[in-house]
Amino acid sequence: MYPRIIETRIENKLGKGKAIVVTGPRQVGKTTLIKDLLRNRKYLFLDGDDPAVRNILTNPNTEDLRSLIGQHDTLFIDEAQRIDNIGLTMKLITDQFKNVQLIASGSSAFDISSKLNEPLTGRKWDFTLLPICWEEYENHIGFLKSEQQLHNRLIYGFYPEVLNHPGEEKDILRELTNSYLYRDVLSLADIRKPEVLEKLVQALALQVGSEVSYNELAQTVGVDKNTVASYIDILCDGFVIFKLNSYSKNIRNEIKSNRKIYFYDNGIRNMVVGNFNNLGLREDTGYLWENFLIAERLKQNLYKNTFSNIYFWRSRQQQEIDLVEENNGQITGFEFKWNMNKRVKLPKTFMETYKAEGKVINPSNFREFVKI
């Protein structure tokens, strides 16, 4: 098991009178993490994928729950988004069983948020768990080994099963992609045209690091712009991709409404495009480097509760900055370069306008960026 950065934060919320909700993609270790946290507690585990569990928890009354919980001091409901009315059930448990710690996990941000937010307002702590981050990886295997594995991580990503089974990465990523990316997202969102979703994911994977146009995507996959927007939101809620919006303070020459799309995991992205070639044989190495770094920064900000906001920036004169981070009024622009010999200078217009700090991140200094 890879020790997770977020574990201490979750542990500090145990016994504080609120439910704990952990969301994230399937197979990133949510169940393993929570069971490890509860190893010294007397807990009851219920799997939302089990039809019998769904039946029991759909509309229980207080006495039903009392019989179910018994002498356990903790109730862990896995894949809670699969259970109808789970928000009301969790509210009942939280309100009526003050000495019971309730924990729920879910693999769909949309489903679990829509079912829990209103019933559990003020009654829950929310956490997100993503694939292993670089800091967790390096802490587990050491500086030297992680350095030797950088190329592989850009190609195969950070899913725990991928890391734990070297040599089987492609088979594992194929199964992960076919199961959670397509099957789960299709079933959770009730999408009627799976072939459209597949084409859209492939189109997005080929545009990592580039600005995306919903109109152009609509023409590519053969549906209207609103359907593309809806499917992209579903993929975000399913923890497949995330959006990066453009940074703007209403300066006339800035691009204000564009966005970029990135994948939470390079391995999933590479499986979608069917390319596991070595970095020296690829034309997209720079984009893989960019996707890796932005996903890692997202994990760090999320796990360490930095309250940072991240964007990209581009002017109408085609000046660009890969990542803009805003934290407590401080603006920092980051440029990502895989080639350490390439000299880079961040746009003077941006730096002076926003009194920003500028940094270039390459393989020689990336650790300071991915380990806040």
Side-chain angles (χ1 to χ4, degrees):
M1 175 182 170
Y2 284 77
R4 309 305 296 265
I5 292 170
I6 204 170
E7 184 167 352
T8 301
R9 283 185 57 209
I10 299 175
E11 190 171 26
N12 289 337
K13 301 300 184 185
L14 291 172
K16 298 292 178 66
K18 293 185 180 183
I20 293 172
V21 180
V22 181
T23 54
R26 282 187 185 262
Q27 304 298 315
V28 294
K30 298 188 299 296
T31 305
T32 302
L33 169 64
I34 295 170
K35 285 186 173 181
D36 184 62
L37 275 168
L38 302 181
R39 62 190 178 278
N40 296 321
R41 298 175 73 98
K42 189 178 180 182
Y43 71 93
L44 175 64
F45 174 74
L46 298 174
D47 186 353
D49 282 329
D50 185 332
V53 169
R54 293 201 295 270
N55 184 56
I56 291 169
L57 292 181
T58 295
N59 287 300
N61 57 41
T62 303
E63 290 308 310
D64 292 334
L65 292 171
R66 195 183 311 281
S67 298
L68 178 67
I69 296 170
Q71 299 302 309
H72 298 95
D73 62 16
T74 306
L75 176 60
F76 172 23
I77 306 171
D78 203 15
E79 296 299 337
Q81 82 282 349
R82 301 271 289 145
I83 302 166
D84 291 337
N85 298 320
I86 188 59
L88 294 174
T89 299
M90 289 177 63
K91 177 180 182 294
L92 189 59
I93 295 169
T94 304
D95 289 348
Q96 299 300 319
F97 299 87
K98 300 294 186 182
N99 295 323
V100 175
Q101 175 63 63
L102 176 60
I103 302 180
S105 74
S107 55
S108 167
F110 172 77
D111 269 24
I112 204 159
S113 295
S114 63
K115 291 178 178 179
L116 299 187
N117 278 353
E118 187 175 344
L120 287 180
T121 300
R123 295 177 173 87
K124 64 181 173 71
W125 304 103
D126 287 307
F127 298 93
T128 302
L129 190 69
L130 297 169
I132 303 294
C133 72
W134 180 271
E135 183 174 351
E136 294 163 342
Y137 183 65
E138 184 177 299
N139 288 345
H140 187 65
I141 70 170
F143 179 93
L144 181 59
K145 285 187 177 179
S146 62
E147 178 75 16
Q148 293 168 338
Q149 284 291 316
L150 178 58
H151 285 221
N152 279 339
R153 299 288 57 84
L154 293 183
I155 296 170
Y156 297 114
F158 284 93
Y159 268 82
E161 195 173 356
V162 168
L163 298 178
N164 290 331
H165 295 86
E168 300 177 34
E169 294 95 342
K170 295 176 188 176
D171 291 336
I172 292 167
L173 285 166
R174 182 180 295 109
E175 178 58 30
L176 280 170
T177 304
N178 289 339
S179 61
Y180 99 76
L181 196 161
Y182 294 122
R183 197 182 311 151
D184 273 9
V185 169
L186 287 170
S187 63
L188 289 169
D190 193 27
I191 292 176
R192 305 296 172 85
K193 295 180 178 180
E195 69 282 358
V196 171
L197 181 72
E198 190 168 350
K199 285 181 183 178
L200 177 61
V201 175
Q202 290 172 346
L204 293 172
L206 291 169
Q207 295 186 47
V208 160
S210 302
E211 293 172 60
V212 297
S213 161
Y214 285 12
N215 284 324
E216 290 178 8
L217 288 169
Q219 294 174 5
T220 299
V221 302
V223 294
D224 61 76
K225 177 183 174 182
N226 291 334
T227 302
V228 165
S230 174
Y231 279 22
I232 286 177
D233 286 343
I234 289 164
L235 290 165
C236 289
D237 290 331
F239 299 102
V240 178
I241 60 174
F242 60 93
K243 302 176 191 175
L244 207 61
N245 292 321
S246 59
Y247 184 79
S248 172
K249 293 295 185 182
N250 296 319
I251 295 175
R252 187 171 298 176
N253 71 342
E254 289 177 338
I255 305 296
K256 297 179 176 62
S257 60
N258 290 21
R259 80 283 292 172
K260 292 185 178 184
I261 300 290
Y262 294 93
F263 280 68
Y264 279 106
D265 187 74
N266 273 23
I268 296 294
R269 183 267 177 187
N270 287 332
M271 175 53 71
V272 168
V273 299
N275 185 354
F276 291 103
N277 289 338
N278 292 331
L279 298 184
L281 302 175
R282 306 179 70 109
E283 296 181 355
D284 60 356
T285 299
Y287 293 127
L288 292 182
W289 180 237
E290 182 177 330
N291 193 98
F292 160 70
L293 290 172
I294 292 177
E296 287 299 310
R297 193 68 168 193
L298 179 70
K299 294 174 191 175
Q300 287 285 319
N301 288 335
L302 190 64
Y303 292 165
K304 297 181 180 177
N305 217 17
T306 65
F307 299 103
S308 295
N309 296 308
I310 58 175
Y311 312 87
F312 75 95
W313 179 85
R314 183 168 71 85
S315 71
R316 296 188 186 279
Q317 288 74 39
Q318 306 302 309
Q319 296 174 306
E320 294 187 39
I321 295 178
D322 291 332
L323 186 74
V324 174
E325 188 169 74
E326 185 176 36
N327 185 290
N328 292 324
Q330 173 62 46
I331 308 298
T332 307
F334 297 96
E335 276 292 303
F336 306 130
K337 296 300 175 186
W338 178 251
N339 184 349
M340 291 188 286
N341 296 320
K342 191 170 183 179
R343 298 192 66 181
V344 181
K345 192 172 182 180
L346 277 72
K348 185 177 179 181
T349 303
F350 178 88
M351 305 302 290
E352 292 182 350
T353 300
Y354 294 115
K355 298 179 174 59
E357 183 180 358
K359 296 182 179 180
V360 178
I361 308 300
N362 59 43
S364 71
N365 67 356
F366 79 97
R367 281 178 169 82
E368 67 187 48
F369 179 78
V370 300
K371 296 171 65 176
I372 298 175

